[in-house]
Amino acid sequence: MCLVGLHTQMPAGIDYLTAKDGATEGLTTSVVTSGHYNDKTDDLQTLIYTGQGGTGKDGKPKHQELERGNLALDASKTKGNEVRVIRGVEDPGDKKKKIYIYDGLYVVSDYWKEKGTSGFDEFKFKLVRKQDQPSGYATWKLAEEWRKSGSTDDESRKGFVFEDLSLGEETLPIPIVNEIDEYDKEWPHDFTYITSSTGLSMLVVPNYQSTACNNCEGQSCEDPTCPCIQRNGGELPYDNRILICRKRMIYECGDMCSCPPDCKNRLTQSGLKIRVELFKTERCGWGLRSWEPIRAGTFICELVGTAKRRDEIEEDDEYVFDTSRVCKNFRWNYEPELVGEDCWDQVSEAYKLRSGILVSARGSGNVSRFMNHSCSPNVMWQPIEIEKAGQPSVHIAFFAKRHIPPLTELRYDYGMSLDTGEFDEDGRRIFKGKRVCLCGSEKCRGSFE
């Protein structure tokens, strides 16, 4: 929050202008709820915020006074200026951590004193949310309600269609909802739901020498001498189940490795672990979204489908994944200031594939089949090589490109393949796709494959 200028007071929940900021009087710019005070946060349109102070230098409780942040909130009530509200909530993935949600602009409408739990006076400030703003905290609370109930067959929910797209194939059910037309109960029956592919590459490597680790019996691979760790550059590609950075290829442990199934280097082999749902979008058919907040670098799902030759792809097949398509270049989690590396020591844009991968999910697939395209995607794909039956098998894993709030559609860049023969200002070829893009991004390229 401090980095982006949303809230500059690291230890304090009230941020306000001072004389050194050029202000003639202190006005509140933002407040943060952390759960440490007696704030009332249940209402989606109002917030009862507890003032700051109330502890003496000796650590003993005392009456709060109308000074500093409390005085700034009083001034904001008089002036009626807008105040940014950031709500802190418990991280559903780790109860020891917090997730902070920007909930838009509020105004201070009232304040009063009342006795706190310590028996001393506390200031209570009532902040009211301004109308016609995108939902923030309200969306979180809705997704939280669904997560806590754990139910996917709630027919009272608006637009409920069916309880599980996978028909029991996934450990976690995938509900289907159509809030666009709540009376339309049709859903995709035209494919077979499967949870894995036998292999996405048709290439057979002659005289392939196994690189399986045999010194990690019964324990997760972490030793730098482990062959699988060495293939990944001497370090695990994941930290606490989070992708550290994009790589030309990630090498996970395979069926001949001696490590257990829960090895840290088998992250993408454990199936769908995020609560997602299939929902009807306004302009792009069916889409995929999560009930949970997704941290950048989190594994979402694997690409599942049928490997094809180019002459086997039907002209009207809209469920094709093709590594030969040109996507917008980007570097992810590799900025020198973030990881302390030299600015020239950066990952190559080119993936290290033994052969191109062409997959259709038209006849059979999993949830990845329903991820739509975006020119500003929040999901990215990463090739993973896993040794199976004595051969290297390449899989495509989808990871969160950035932090994704609950109920946000999951989209990745499909890429483009038609060379226009033109060049951009940096001398790179300009490509376009066959279909008109409706992603709605500010950086929409106008077409996709």
Side-chain angles (χ1 to χ4, degrees), residues 319-334:
Y319 301 95
V320 175
F321 178 91
D322 185 354
T323 57
S324 71
R325 294 174 182 168
V326 177
C327 298
K328 184 179 179 180
N329 290 342
F330 70 95
R331 297 190 185 279
W332 183 81
N333 203 18
Y334 234 85

Side-chain angles (χ1 to χ4, degrees), residues 397-416:
F398 291 103
F399 290 87
K401 188 177 179 182
R402 56 177 179 264
H403 298 329
I404 306 174
L407 303 185
T408 301
E409 185 175 2
L410 306 177
R411 291 174 173 248
Y412 72 97
D413 186 353
Y414 285 13
M416 299 180 287

Side-chain angles (χ1 to χ4, degrees), residues 85 105 142 144 153 157 169 292 429:
V85 169
L105 300 174
L142 180 62
E144 182 182 59
D153 58 354
R157 181 183 168 190
E169 291 295 320
E292 305 174 20
R429 288 185 177 274

